[in-house]
Each structure stands twice: as C-alpha cells, then as structure tokens.
Amino acid sequence: MLETNAVDNVHTGGYLVNVSLLYYNHSGVRVPLSGAAKSSVIVYREAIDSVNRQKPKNSLNLYESPADLIIPISGIRNKGFWFRIESVSDVHSKGIQIPRNTQKAVLEVYVSFHGNDEFWYSNPPDSYLRMNNLTTERGHGAYREVFVTIDDNLVGSVVPFPVIFTGGFNRLFWQPVVAIGAFNLPSYDFDVTPFLGLLLDRKIHIFGLGVIDSIPFWLVDANLHLWLDHGSSAVEAKTVEPHFPAVSIQRRSSFKLLNGSFKIVAKRKNQFMGWVRSSGCNLTTHVSYEFKFRSSVKFKENGTYKSVVQTVKTKTQVKVVSEIGSLVNRASVKGNYPLTIVSSTLPGSKKKYILDSNECLSFSEREIVERLLFVLCI
C-alpha cells in the first residue's frame, strides 16, 4: 500500500497571506536576483560601501546582529526561483563573487519534496516495486540527504525533516491544523566561514545544491548570509584541510510478494576549520556537523498494512577562538525528529474501504551557547 495525496479542485488550490517585513537598515541593500556577474559585483561593492558608512567599525558581534548582505542562490523567475531536482545527479548551482572584506558566511538552505518523493521517508526499494510489478514510481528506498558544495567540493549535508503536507496519508488529520512545517518549511544553516580562505580571491565560485538518492522532484534554494569587516576593504583568511568522510550507510531488506521489511542505518560527521584576520581580530572557526539516521519500513497483510519508524538525530557545533587561543564563542545545537506512521486499509461496505491511520511526528532542538564578553586581540 503506497500513499496518495489529494490533488483536485476541492482539496488543492492557492491561498492568500499577508506578509510583514522587518528591515534592519533603513536605506536597504538591494542585490539583483539575476543578471551578469559583473553587474552583480558592482551592486555588491556599492552595497558594501553603503553598509560600511552605517555600521560601527571593529565590531566582533558576529552572532547577534543580522547579516550585512544576503545573496540568493536560486532558480529563474518563471520557475518560482526554485531549483528543481529530478535525480541524484541533478545538481544545481550559481556562481558568486564574495566581497573581500567578508569575515563570516552562513548558507541557509530551503528544501521541499514533491511528486514521487513527497513521502520519501516511506518509500520501499526499487527491487520491491519490480518484483511485485507495481506501476508506482515511488521507490528508491527511504533515505535522502541534502548536500551543499562549493566548487564541486562538499561543505555540508543534512537529512531533511520529514514534513507532511496537507492531505498526506489521511486528509482528515489536517482539519483544522496542519502538520509541523507544512506552512513554514524549516531551513538548514551551514556555517561556511572556514572556507573564506578559498573564496576571497576575487574569483567567481560555484555554490551547488543536490539531494542524494532523490527521485522527481525536489525544490531547493538558498540564501548566503555575509557579515562584513567595516574597518577594512579586505581581510586575510585561510582554510585548514577539511574532513569529509563518505556517509556510512547500511541497508537490509527482505520481502515476499507484497509483505516485506526494509531497514536503513546511516551516519556522517563533517569537520572543518579556518581562520580570518580582520581589522578587529584574528579568529579561528571550528565547525562540526553530525547526524545519525535510522529507518524501518514494513508491509504486512498483503501490503494493506504499513508502518514507518524513522529517527534522525543531529548535532552541530561551532566554536570560535582568538589568536591566543581564548574562547570567543561556542554554540552547540542538538536536534531530534522522530516519525512514526501506522496505516492500514480495511474493507468497508458498498465498495468502500476504511483507512485506519496513526501518526506521530515531533521536532525538538536544544541549544547551548557560551560567549566571552571581552576579547583581547594582540
């Protein structure tokens, strides 16, 4: 039994919302969404000059203030500015020239899944579909991983939160409320400050987005947040050799006809560091991303009973130290989002059926932040 969603004139449509925007700088900074790289660089340079005139110099307040520049990494206008990903090899990218006085950079990634991958966390492997002659294309297993690259080098990855959109599994569940994230997709932050040593060379660098094991289709884009050194037109930076081991993944499957069991265990830990010498200080940033993934999908009763149990645990650590080794900032965020779905189809009367569903989904994060109020730079 594979899930379907309601797509018709009754249950599908658009809605109107009112949006309030908060601008941090009264004069604003406008960055074009399209156009030649050369013209974009000119606008960035003008924006930098404008921001530098407004901001205090030698500020080390990198984690409490908004970014000075936000550069979109997205598709074209007639596709809603989204990159559309159809397969694991479908990596979309954009070239960006980073201002030379950038002292901190964070990439904020947005992602949503649709079509045959809307319920990716419950998909069986392709072998199950072939052996049972099923016409559905919702397969390829129940593991997906969103990744970010710079110049074709991996700089971060994450297993996305399993958002259930309205109508998913049992449309009666979502009246009058919707599932977690259905109207407010979570975003994923990647601190790429340690890579500034590779980016501040006046060259255009390629930022890429992709999804491991994906099938049609995913929508992804990102915002690159940049904090500038207002006391200098250029900073020095160096990237230390990053540590990006391949994902460790184990798959076990067994099935007979429409009954089967499919289990996946995966984990990954990425670590990297780099230093930036600005007009305020020489700071070294250490970043660590780690996740552990477990999934179990089972079919019983000739495929009319299905259970999904998935657990994703994440841990992100960012530590900033001064040139003399004193701690400036340390942040640790632990995330946990378990998912349990049990669904069965029972025969009813007059050619109808009864759909019995039980779903449990949660999202929790715990953050620990340490800050040094005074930093001595020599």
Side-chain angles (χ1 to χ4, degrees):
M1 181 190 67
L2 299 177
E3 292 70 23
T4 59
N5 207 338
V7 181
D8 52 39
N9 293 331
V10 177
H11 301 95
T12 308
Y15 57 91
L16 300 177
V17 296
N18 294 324
V19 179
S20 298
L21 301 178
L22 174 63
Y23 291 91
Y24 293 97
N25 298 320
H26 66 277
S27 61
V29 176
R30 298 186 61 186
V31 179
L33 296 179
S34 61
K38 182 177 180 180
S39 62
S40 298
V41 173
I42 294 175
V43 176
Y44 296 159
R45 182 68 262 169
E46 293 174 349
I48 294 168
D49 294 339
S50 174
V51 172
N52 284 341
R53 289 192 296 268
Q54 300 173 38
K55 296 286 185 176
K57 296 184 178 181
N58 301 326
S59 173
L60 292 177
N61 192 18
L62 300 181
Y63 290 86
E64 296 178 354
S65 61
D68 299 306
L69 287 178
I70 301 178
I71 303 175
I73 302 175
S74 57
I76 59 179
R77 182 185 298 272
N78 61 6
K79 293 186 178 181
F81 297 109
W82 290 99
F83 290 131
R84 179 170 173 140
I85 293 180
E86 303 285 350
S87 66
V88 62
S89 61
D90 193 10
V91 179
H92 289 262
S93 60
K94 181 177 181 179
I96 297 176
Q97 185 176 10
I98 305 298
R100 295 193 65 206
N101 65 337
T102 299
Q103 60 181 350
K104 177 178 172 62
V106 174
L107 190 65
E108 182 184 17
V109 177
Y110 298 86
V111 58
S112 63
F113 28 87
H114 308 275
N116 292 327
D117 242 4
E118 179 175 348
F119 306 102
W120 63 267
Y121 40 83
S122 67
N123 284 9
D126 294 337
S127 57
Y128 175 84
L129 303 182
R130 289 194 301 266
M131 294 299 293
N132 288 286
N133 295 318
L134 299 177
T135 58
T136 179
E137 296 181 356
R138 289 180 175 171
H140 223 51
Y143 178 78
R144 303 292 183 269
E145 183 180 351
V146 180
F147 63 88
V148 178
T149 62
I150 298 179
D151 296 333
D152 295 327
N153 296 310
L154 181 70
V155 298
S157 64
V158 65
V159 175
F161 177 73
V163 175
I164 301 176
F165 298 110
T166 55
F169 293 99
N170 189 329
R171 70 191 66 172
L172 298 180
F173 276 162
W174 318 120
Q175 297 178 357
V177 297
V178 299
I180 301 171
F183 287 167
N184 185 22
L185 290 172
S187 60
Y188 308 94
D189 293 341
F190 299 93
D191 193 327
V192 294
T193 304
F195 296 97
L196 289 178
L198 304 175
L199 300 175
L200 303 181
D201 56 0
R202 297 183 179 179
K203 296 181 180 180
I204 295 176
H205 294 272
I206 307 301
F207 288 74
L209 299 168
V211 183
I212 293 177
D213 281 357
S214 62
I215 57 177
F217 64 96
W218 290 62
L219 299 177
V220 300
D221 63 13
N223 287 325
L224 181 60
H225 299 248
L226 302 178
W227 285 258
L228 308 178
D229 179 10
H230 308 292
S232 174
S233 60
V235 303
E236 295 181 61
K238 183 177 181 180
T239 301
V240 181
E241 188 69 23
H243 180 61
F244 286 110
V247 61
S248 172
I249 184 167
Q250 298 177 343
R251 306 174 190 262
R252 290 190 300 169
S253 63
S254 62
F255 60 91
K256 183 177 181 181
L257 298 178
L258 292 175
N259 297 331
S261 174
F262 314 100
K263 296 183 179 181
I264 302 175
V265 177
K267 63 180 179 179
R268 187 199 287 270
K269 185 175 183 179
N270 302 325
Q271 295 176 301
F272 41 90
M273 62 178 289
W275 57 262
V276 176
R277 185 189 299 275
S278 65
S279 62
C281 210
N282 186 337
L283 300 179
T284 300
T285 301
H286 304 255
V287 179
S288 172
Y289 297 115
E290 180 180 5
F291 70 78
K292 296 180 180 180
F293 172 92
R294 287 184 175 272
S295 171
S296 174
V297 178
K298 295 182 179 180
F299 292 91
K300 298 180 181 180
E301 305 296 333
N302 200 30
T304 61
Y305 173 95
K306 183 176 185 178
S307 67
V308 178
V309 179
Q310 177 182 288
T311 301
V312 180
K313 294 183 178 181
T314 65
K315 184 178 181 180
T316 302
Q317 289 183 310
V318 178
K319 182 176 69 172
V320 181
V321 298
S322 68
E323 189 172 11
I324 60 176
S326 60
L327 178 67
V328 177
N329 180 288
R330 178 163 51 202
S332 176
V333 179
K334 294 183 178 181
N336 183 22
Y337 32 99
L339 168 68
T340 300
I341 299 173
V342 178
S343 182
S344 62
T345 303
L346 305 175
S349 59
K350 297 181 180 180
K351 296 183 179 180
K352 296 181 180 180
Y353 66 90
I354 299 173
L355 180 61
D356 186 2
S357 303
N358 185 6
E359 301 179 24
C360 181
L361 174 64
S362 65
F363 182 96
S364 64
E365 283 188 346
R366 184 178 63 177
E367 181 179 5
I368 301 176
V369 178
E370 300 176 59
R371 291 189 180 94
L372 192 64
L373 297 180
F374 177 77
V375 181
L376 176 62
C377 298
I378 58 175

PDB file of all heavy atoms in Angstrom, residues 251-278:
ATOM      1  N   ARG A 251      21.982  -1.026   4.474  1.00  0.00           N
ATOM      2  CA  ARG A 251      20.604  -1.305   4.073  1.00  0.00           C
ATOM      3  C   ARG A 251      20.337  -2.803   4.191  1.00  0.00           C
ATOM      4  O   ARG A 251      21.162  -3.624   3.769  1.00  0.00           O
ATOM      5  CB  ARG A 251      20.349  -0.852   2.633  1.00  0.00           C
ATOM      6  CG  ARG A 251      20.693   0.604   2.350  1.00  0.00           C
ATOM      7  CD  ARG A 251      20.542   0.901   0.870  1.00  0.00           C
ATOM      8  NE  ARG A 251      21.068   2.198   0.500  1.00  0.00           N
ATOM      9  CZ  ARG A 251      20.336   3.298   0.350  1.00  0.00           C
ATOM     10  NH1 ARG A 251      19.027   3.234   0.547  1.00  0.00           N
ATOM     11  NH2 ARG A 251      20.892   4.439   0.001  1.00  0.00           N
ATOM     12  N   ARG A 252      19.181  -3.141   4.746  1.00  0.00           N
ATOM     13  CA  ARG A 252      18.753  -4.539   4.828  1.00  0.00           C
ATOM     14  C   ARG A 252      17.297  -4.623   4.382  1.00  0.00           C
ATOM     15  O   ARG A 252      16.456  -3.848   4.846  1.00  0.00           O
ATOM     16  CB  ARG A 252      18.892  -5.082   6.247  1.00  0.00           C
ATOM     17  CG  ARG A 252      20.335  -5.273   6.712  1.00  0.00           C
ATOM     18  CD  ARG A 252      20.388  -6.042   8.014  1.00  0.00           C
ATOM     19  NE  ARG A 252      19.674  -5.342   9.076  1.00  0.00           N
ATOM     20  CZ  ARG A 252      19.385  -5.878  10.254  1.00  0.00           C
ATOM     21  NH1 ARG A 252      19.709  -7.134  10.517  1.00  0.00           N
ATOM     22  NH2 ARG A 252      18.752  -5.169  11.172  1.00  0.00           N
ATOM     23  N   SER A 253      17.020  -5.554   3.490  1.00  0.00           N
ATOM     24  CA  SER A 253      15.647  -5.706   3.013  1.00  0.00           C
ATOM     25  C   SER A 253      15.327  -7.177   2.804  1.00  0.00           C
ATOM     26  O   SER A 253      16.187  -7.968   2.404  1.00  0.00           O
ATOM     27  CB  SER A 253      15.442  -4.939   1.701  1.00  0.00           C
ATOM     28  OG  SER A 253      16.256  -5.470   0.679  1.00  0.00           O
ATOM     29  N   SER A 254      14.098  -7.521   3.102  1.00  0.00           N
ATOM     30  CA  SER A 254      13.591  -8.872   2.847  1.00  0.00           C
ATOM     31  C   SER A 254      12.093  -8.759   2.595  1.00  0.00           C
ATOM     32  O   SER A 254      11.388  -8.049   3.312  1.00  0.00           O
ATOM     33  CB  SER A 254      13.870  -9.797   4.037  1.00  0.00           C
ATOM     34  OG  SER A 254      13.210  -9.343   5.197  1.00  0.00           O
ATOM     35  N   PHE A 255      11.616  -9.438   1.562  1.00  0.00           N
ATOM     36  CA  PHE A 255      10.188  -9.376   1.267  1.00  0.00           C
ATOM     37  C   PHE A 255       9.768 -10.608   0.482  1.00  0.00           C
ATOM     38  O   PHE A 255      10.577 -11.265  -0.192  1.00  0.00           O
ATOM     39  CB  PHE A 255       9.841  -8.105   0.485  1.00  0.00           C
ATOM     40  CG  PHE A 255      10.536  -7.975  -0.839  1.00  0.00           C
ATOM     41  CD1 PHE A 255       9.955  -8.460  -2.007  1.00  0.00           C
ATOM     42  CD2 PHE A 255      11.781  -7.366  -0.928  1.00  0.00           C
ATOM     43  CE1 PHE A 255      10.589  -8.339  -3.222  1.00  0.00           C
ATOM     44  CE2 PHE A 255      12.424  -7.237  -2.143  1.00  0.00           C
ATOM     45  CZ  PHE A 255      11.834  -7.725  -3.297  1.00  0.00           C
ATOM     46  N   LYS A 256       8.493 -10.921   0.605  1.00  0.00           N
ATOM     47  CA  LYS A 256       7.867 -11.998  -0.145  1.00  0.00           C
ATOM     48  C   LYS A 256       6.532 -11.488  -0.634  1.00  0.00           C
ATOM     49  O   LYS A 256       5.650 -11.156   0.157  1.00  0.00           O
ATOM     50  CB  LYS A 256       7.686 -13.239   0.727  1.00  0.00           C
ATOM     51  CG  LYS A 256       7.103 -14.427  -0.030  1.00  0.00           C
ATOM     52  CD  LYS A 256       7.010 -15.654   0.859  1.00  0.00           C
ATOM     53  CE  LYS A 256       6.458 -16.849   0.090  1.00  0.00           C
ATOM     54  NZ  LYS A 256       6.352 -18.055   0.957  1.00  0.00           N
ATOM     55  N   LEU A 257       6.420 -11.386  -1.941  1.00  0.00           N
ATOM     56  CA  LEU A 257       5.256 -10.756  -2.557  1.00  0.00           C
ATOM     57  C   LEU A 257       5.116  -9.339  -2.001  1.00  0.00           C
ATOM     58  O   LEU A 257       6.076  -8.569  -2.026  1.00  0.00           O
ATOM     59  CB  LEU A 257       4.008 -11.606  -2.334  1.00  0.00           C
ATOM     60  CG  LEU A 257       4.049 -13.020  -2.963  1.00  0.00           C
ATOM     61  CD1 LEU A 257       2.778 -13.786  -2.648  1.00  0.00           C
ATOM     62  CD2 LEU A 257       4.295 -12.944  -4.458  1.00  0.00           C
ATOM     63  N   LEU A 258       3.952  -8.965  -1.468  1.00  0.00           N
ATOM     64  CA  LEU A 258       3.734  -7.592  -1.014  1.00  0.00           C
ATOM     65  C   LEU A 258       4.099  -7.367   0.448  1.00  0.00           C
ATOM     66  O   LEU A 258       4.023  -6.235   0.934  1.00  0.00           O
ATOM     67  CB  LEU A 258       2.271  -7.192  -1.234  1.00  0.00           C
ATOM     68  CG  LEU A 258       1.840  -7.054  -2.699  1.00  0.00           C
ATOM     69  CD1 LEU A 258       0.344  -6.785  -2.792  1.00  0.00           C
ATOM     70  CD2 LEU A 258       2.617  -5.942  -3.394  1.00  0.00           C
ATOM     71  N   ASN A 259       4.486  -8.400   1.158  1.00  0.00           N
ATOM     72  CA  ASN A 259       4.904  -8.254   2.549  1.00  0.00           C
ATOM     73  C   ASN A 259       6.427  -8.149   2.612  1.00  0.00           C
ATOM     74  O   ASN A 259       7.140  -8.890   1.926  1.00  0.00           O
ATOM     75  CB  ASN A 259       4.435  -9.443   3.386  1.00  0.00           C
ATOM     76  CG  ASN A 259       2.918  -9.548   3.446  1.00  0.00           C
ATOM     77  OD1 ASN A 259       2.224  -8.532   3.352  1.00  0.00           O
ATOM     78  ND2 ASN A 259       2.407 -10.756   3.592  1.00  0.00           N
ATOM     79  N   GLY A 260       6.918  -7.225   3.429  1.00  0.00           N
ATOM     80  CA  GLY A 260       8.363  -7.078   3.490  1.00  0.00           C
ATOM     81  C   GLY A 260       8.813  -6.152   4.602  1.00  0.00           C
ATOM     82  O   GLY A 260       8.008  -5.459   5.241  1.00  0.00           O
ATOM     83  N   SER A 261      10.127  -6.154   4.829  1.00  0.00           N
ATOM     84  CA  SER A 261      10.749  -5.314   5.853  1.00  0.00           C
ATOM     85  C   SER A 261      11.998  -4.680   5.261  1.00  0.00           C
ATOM     86  O   SER A 261      12.823  -5.373   4.647  1.00  0.00           O
ATOM     87  CB  SER A 261      11.107  -6.151   7.084  1.00  0.00           C
ATOM     88  OG  SER A 261      11.833  -5.387   8.027  1.00  0.00           O
ATOM     89  N   PHE A 262      12.150  -3.354   5.466  1.00  0.00           N
ATOM     90  CA  PHE A 262      13.264  -2.612   4.879  1.00  0.00           C
ATOM     91  C   PHE A 262      13.855  -1.698   5.950  1.00  0.00           C
ATOM     92  O   PHE A 262      13.149  -0.858   6.511  1.00  0.00           O
ATOM     93  CB  PHE A 262      12.789  -1.798   3.679  1.00  0.00           C
ATOM     94  CG  PHE A 262      11.901  -2.579   2.744  1.00  0.00           C
ATOM     95  CD1 PHE A 262      10.520  -2.435   2.802  1.00  0.00           C
ATOM     96  CD2 PHE A 262      12.439  -3.474   1.843  1.00  0.00           C
ATOM     97  CE1 PHE A 262       9.695  -3.162   1.969  1.00  0.00           C
ATOM     98  CE2 PHE A 262      11.626  -4.206   0.994  1.00  0.00           C
ATOM     99  CZ  PHE A 262      10.250  -4.054   1.056  1.00  0.00           C
ATOM    100  N   LYS A 263      15.142  -1.874   6.234  1.00  0.00           N
ATOM    101  CA  LYS A 263      15.793  -1.102   7.288  1.00  0.00           C
ATOM    102  C   LYS A 263      17.035  -0.405   6.742  1.00  0.00           C
ATOM    103  O   LYS A 263      17.767  -0.956   5.918  1.00  0.00           O
ATOM    104  CB  LYS A 263      16.176  -2.010   8.464  1.00  0.00           C
ATOM    105  CG  LYS A 263      14.970  -2.633   9.166  1.00  0.00           C
ATOM    106  CD  LYS A 263      15.393  -3.472  10.366  1.00  0.00           C
ATOM    107  CE  LYS A 263      14.177  -4.060  11.073  1.00  0.00           C
ATOM    108  NZ  LYS A 263      14.557  -4.865  12.261  1.00  0.00           N
ATOM    109  N   ILE A 264      17.254   0.828   7.226  1.00  0.00           N
ATOM    110  CA  ILE A 264      18.403   1.631   6.812  1.00  0.00           C
ATOM    111  C   ILE A 264      19.013   2.280   8.051  1.00  0.00           C
ATOM    112  O   ILE A 264      18.292   2.837   8.889  1.00  0.00           O
ATOM    113  CB  ILE A 264      18.008   2.724   5.802  1.00  0.00           C
ATOM    114  CG1 ILE A 264      17.352   2.110   4.567  1.00  0.00           C
ATOM    115  CG2 ILE A 264      19.231   3.541   5.391  1.00  0.00           C
ATOM    116  CD1 ILE A 264      16.838   3.145   3.582  1.00  0.00           C
ATOM    117  N   VAL A 265      20.331   2.207   8.163  1.00  0.00           N
ATOM    118  CA  VAL A 265      21.075   2.896   9.219  1.00  0.00           C
ATOM    119  C   VAL A 265      22.182   3.694   8.544  1.00  0.00           C
ATOM    120  O   VAL A 265      22.945   3.151   7.737  1.00  0.00           O
ATOM    121  CB  VAL A 265      21.676   1.905  10.237  1.00  0.00           C
ATOM    122  CG1 VAL A 265      22.499   2.654  11.281  1.00  0.00           C
ATOM    123  CG2 VAL A 265      20.578   1.089  10.905  1.00  0.00           C
ATOM    124  N   ALA A 266      22.265   4.992   8.855  1.00  0.00           N
ATOM    125  CA  ALA A 266      23.271   5.843   8.225  1.00  0.00           C
ATOM    126  C   ALA A 266      23.798   6.855   9.232  1.00  0.00           C
ATOM    127  O   ALA A 266      23.107   7.228  10.188  1.00  0.00           O
ATOM    128  CB  ALA A 266      22.686   6.569   7.013  1.00  0.00           C
ATOM    129  N   LYS A 267      25.024   7.309   9.004  1.00  0.00           N
ATOM    130  CA  LYS A 267      25.605   8.355   9.840  1.00  0.00           C
ATOM    131  C   LYS A 267      26.707   9.067   9.068  1.00  0.00           C
ATOM    132  O   LYS A 267      27.309   8.520   8.146  1.00  0.00           O
ATOM    133  CB  LYS A 267      26.160   7.786  11.147  1.00  0.00           C
ATOM    134  CG  LYS A 267      27.292   6.800  10.986  1.00  0.00           C
ATOM    135  CD  LYS A 267      27.776   6.297  12.339  1.00  0.00           C
ATOM    136  CE  LYS A 267      28.909   5.292  12.192  1.00  0.00           C
ATOM    137  NZ  LYS A 267      29.397   4.806  13.513  1.00  0.00           N
ATOM    138  N   ARG A 268      26.947  10.304   9.457  1.00  0.00           N
ATOM    139  CA  ARG A 268      28.005  11.101   8.839  1.00  0.00           C
ATOM    140  C   ARG A 268      28.457  12.170   9.830  1.00  0.00           C
ATOM    141  O   ARG A 268      27.641  12.712  10.587  1.00  0.00           O
ATOM    142  CB  ARG A 268      27.530  11.765   7.543  1.00  0.00           C
ATOM    143  CG  ARG A 268      28.674  12.463   6.779  1.00  0.00           C
ATOM    144  CD  ARG A 268      28.129  13.481   5.797  1.00  0.00           C
ATOM    145  NE  ARG A 268      27.493  12.902   4.628  1.00  0.00           N
ATOM    146  CZ  ARG A 268      28.125  12.615   3.486  1.00  0.00           C
ATOM    147  NH1 ARG A 268      29.426  12.801   3.387  1.00  0.00           N
ATOM    148  NH2 ARG A 268      27.447  12.149   2.453  1.00  0.00           N
ATOM    149  N   LYS A 269      29.745  12.486   9.805  1.00  0.00           N
ATOM    150  CA  LYS A 269      30.286  13.571  10.617  1.00  0.00           C
ATOM    151  C   LYS A 269      31.300  14.344   9.789  1.00  0.00           C
ATOM    152  O   LYS A 269      32.293  13.788   9.323  1.00  0.00           O
ATOM    153  CB  LYS A 269      30.940  13.043  11.895  1.00  0.00           C
ATOM    154  CG  LYS A 269      31.421  14.153  12.830  1.00  0.00           C
ATOM    155  CD  LYS A 269      31.960  13.602  14.138  1.00  0.00           C
ATOM    156  CE  LYS A 269      32.372  14.732  15.079  1.00  0.00           C
ATOM    157  NZ  LYS A 269      32.874  14.215  16.383  1.00  0.00           N
ATOM    158  N   ASN A 270      31.030  15.635   9.599  1.00  0.00           N
ATOM    159  CA  ASN A 270      31.912  16.517   8.846  1.00  0.00           C
ATOM    160  C   ASN A 270      32.559  17.518   9.796  1.00  0.00           C
ATOM    161  O   ASN A 270      31.888  18.068  10.677  1.00  0.00           O
ATOM    162  CB  ASN A 270      31.134  17.275   7.768  1.00  0.00           C
ATOM    163  CG  ASN A 270      30.427  16.339   6.809  1.00  0.00           C
ATOM    164  OD1 ASN A 270      30.939  15.271   6.488  1.00  0.00           O
ATOM    165  ND2 ASN A 270      29.246  16.731   6.355  1.00  0.00           N
ATOM    166  N   GLN A 271      33.847  17.773   9.603  1.00  0.00           N
ATOM    167  CA  GLN A 271      34.567  18.723  10.441  1.00  0.00           C
ATOM    168  C   GLN A 271      35.479  19.581   9.571  1.00  0.00           C
ATOM    169  O   GLN A 271      36.116  19.069   8.642  1.00  0.00           O
ATOM    170  CB  GLN A 271      35.412  17.993  11.495  1.00  0.00           C
ATOM    171  CG  GLN A 271      34.609  17.214  12.525  1.00  0.00           C
ATOM    172  CD  GLN A 271      35.499  16.431  13.469  1.00  0.00           C
ATOM    173  OE1 GLN A 271      36.278  15.584  13.056  1.00  0.00           O
ATOM    174  NE2 GLN A 271      35.399  16.733  14.754  1.00  0.00           N
ATOM    175  N   PHE A 272      35.537  20.875   9.883  1.00  0.00           N
ATOM    176  CA  PHE A 272      36.451  21.750   9.170  1.00  0.00           C
ATOM    177  C   PHE A 272      36.721  22.994  10.000  1.00  0.00           C
ATOM    178  O   PHE A 272      35.979  23.311  10.938  1.00  0.00           O
ATOM    179  CB  PHE A 272      35.911  22.137   7.789  1.00  0.00           C
ATOM    180  CG  PHE A 272      34.437  22.444   7.756  1.00  0.00           C
ATOM    181  CD1 PHE A 272      33.975  23.726   7.977  1.00  0.00           C
ATOM    182  CD2 PHE A 272      33.512  21.449   7.501  1.00  0.00           C
ATOM    183  CE1 PHE A 272      32.622  24.016   7.943  1.00  0.00           C
ATOM    184  CE2 PHE A 272      32.154  21.727   7.469  1.00  0.00           C
ATOM    185  CZ  PHE A 272      31.705  23.004   7.688  1.00  0.00           C
ATOM    186  N   MET A 273      37.798  23.690   9.661  1.00  0.00           N
ATOM    187  CA  MET A 273      38.182  24.889  10.398  1.00  0.00           C
ATOM    188  C   MET A 273      38.927  25.837   9.468  1.00  0.00           C
ATOM    189  O   MET A 273      39.432  25.452   8.413  1.00  0.00           O
ATOM    190  CB  MET A 273      39.068  24.530  11.601  1.00  0.00           C
ATOM    191  CG  MET A 273      40.382  23.858  11.232  1.00  0.00           C
ATOM    192  SD  MET A 273      41.424  23.492  12.672  1.00  0.00           S
ATOM    193  CE  MET A 273      41.924  25.156  13.119  1.00  0.00           C
ATOM    194  N   GLY A 274      38.971  27.093   9.874  1.00  0.00           N
ATOM    195  CA  GLY A 274      39.691  28.109   9.122  1.00  0.00           C
ATOM    196  C   GLY A 274      39.769  29.387   9.933  1.00  0.00           C
ATOM    197  O   GLY A 274      38.975  29.603  10.851  1.00  0.00           O
ATOM    198  N   TRP A 275      40.746  30.231   9.610  1.00  0.00           N
ATOM    199  CA  TRP A 275      40.883  31.480  10.351  1.00  0.00           C
ATOM    200  C   TRP A 275      40.685  32.679   9.436  1.00  0.00           C
ATOM    201  O   TRP A 275      40.900  32.612   8.226  1.00  0.00           O
ATOM    202  CB  TRP A 275      42.225  31.572  11.067  1.00  0.00           C
ATOM    203  CG  TRP A 275      43.457  31.444  10.204  1.00  0.00           C
ATOM    204  CD1 TRP A 275      44.203  30.327  10.010  1.00  0.00           C
ATOM    205  CD2 TRP A 275      44.084  32.483   9.433  1.00  0.00           C
ATOM    206  NE1 TRP A 275      45.252  30.586   9.166  1.00  0.00           N
ATOM    207  CE2 TRP A 275      45.215  31.903   8.800  1.00  0.00           C
ATOM    208  CE3 TRP A 275      43.815  33.825   9.210  1.00  0.00           C
ATOM    209  CZ2 TRP A 275      46.061  32.626   7.963  1.00  0.00           C
ATOM    210  CZ3 TRP A 275      44.650  34.561   8.374  1.00  0.00           C
ATOM    211  CH2 TRP A 275      45.757  33.967   7.761  1.00  0.00           C
ATOM    212  N   VAL A 276      40.241  33.777  10.058  1.00  0.00           N
ATOM    213  CA  VAL A 276      40.023  35.045   9.359  1.00  0.00           C
ATOM    214  C   VAL A 276      40.677  36.151  10.171  1.00  0.00           C
ATOM    215  O   VAL A 276      40.363  36.322  11.359  1.00  0.00           O
ATOM    216  CB  VAL A 276      38.520  35.343   9.165  1.00  0.00           C
ATOM    217  CG1 VAL A 276      38.334  36.711   8.522  1.00  0.00           C
ATOM    218  CG2 VAL A 276      37.852  34.261   8.335  1.00  0.00           C
ATOM    219  N   ARG A 277      41.579  36.901   9.546  1.00  0.00           N
ATOM    220  CA  ARG A 277      42.215  38.044  10.200  1.00  0.00           C
ATOM    221  C   ARG A 277      41.552  39.317   9.669  1.00  0.00           C
ATOM    222  O   ARG A 277      41.784  39.734   8.532  1.00  0.00           O
ATOM    223  CB  ARG A 277      43.714  38.082   9.918  1.00  0.00           C
ATOM    224  CG  ARG A 277      44.450  39.205  10.681  1.00  0.00           C
ATOM    225  CD  ARG A 277      45.888  39.329  10.203  1.00  0.00           C
ATOM    226  NE  ARG A 277      46.627  38.099  10.438  1.00  0.00           N
ATOM    227  CZ  ARG A 277      47.228  37.789  11.589  1.00  0.00           C
ATOM    228  NH1 ARG A 277      47.158  38.630  12.608  1.00  0.00           N
ATOM    229  NH2 ARG A 277      47.881  36.653  11.714  1.00  0.00           N
ATOM    230  N   SER A 278      40.726  39.922  10.507  1.00  0.00           N
ATOM    231  CA  SER A 278      40.025  41.145  10.136  1.00  0.00           C
ATOM    232  C   SER A 278      40.657  42.326  10.856  1.00  0.00           C
ATOM    233  O   SER A 278      41.660  42.179  11.563  1.00  0.00           O
ATOM    234  CB  SER A 278      38.544  41.033  10.505  1.00  0.00           C
ATOM    235  OG  SER A 278      38.394  40.940  11.911  1.00  0.00           O
TER     236      SER A 278
END
